[in-house]
Amino acid sequence: MALGGGVVFEDFFPVMVERLGAEGFMKELCNGFQLLMDGAKGMITFESLKRNSALLGLQEMSDEDLRCMLREGDLDGDGSLNEMEFCTLMFRLSPALMQTSKDLLEEALAFEF
């Protein structure tokens, strides 16, 4: 997946889920949130994302790309990401995980009825 600034993301989430299991994967997402958040606010802000994104190899992202990421995940409109918004965004950015979730939901619904 490519963002406007030419940053390309490779989707390793399905492999991570397979190796770590669902619980281990969720712990890793939470660790990622902790890494990117503003410690005083307990949220990922533009400033904390800009400051800490290099730790994830994202130093090439423009300010606009970072703001776009925040807007994409900001479900409550406060301009920052809480842990739930961050995890939701990470799932949405993984086409393979979204497809797997859709498949599991369809399977569950078919089984119920």
Side-chain angles (χ1 to χ4, degrees), residues 7-78:
V7 178
V8 177
F9 293 98
E10 191 163 342
D11 187 3
F12 290 109
F13 284 175
V15 173
M16 290 174 68
V17 171
E18 186 178 310
R19 290 189 180 164
L20 300 172
E23 188 174 330
F25 178 70
M26 290 307 296
K27 284 181 184 178
E28 285 303 310
L29 281 182
C30 292
N31 289 340
F33 175 79
Q34 296 291 321
L35 183 68
L36 294 171
M37 77 172 192
D38 178 311
K41 296 180 180 177
M43 310 277 275
I44 296 174
T45 63
F46 171 74
E47 293 79 17
S48 71
L49 184 58
K50 184 173 178 73
R51 181 177 54 250
N52 299 322
S53 61
L55 298 172
L56 299 176
L58 303 176
Q59 62 273 12
E60 300 294 322
M61 292 185 74
S62 70
D63 285 358
E64 184 54 33
D65 285 337
L66 296 174
R67 284 187 181 93
C68 182
M69 285 180 69
L70 284 173
R71 280 191 304 270
E72 182 74 24
D74 183 14
L75 300 175
D76 61 11
D78 66 357

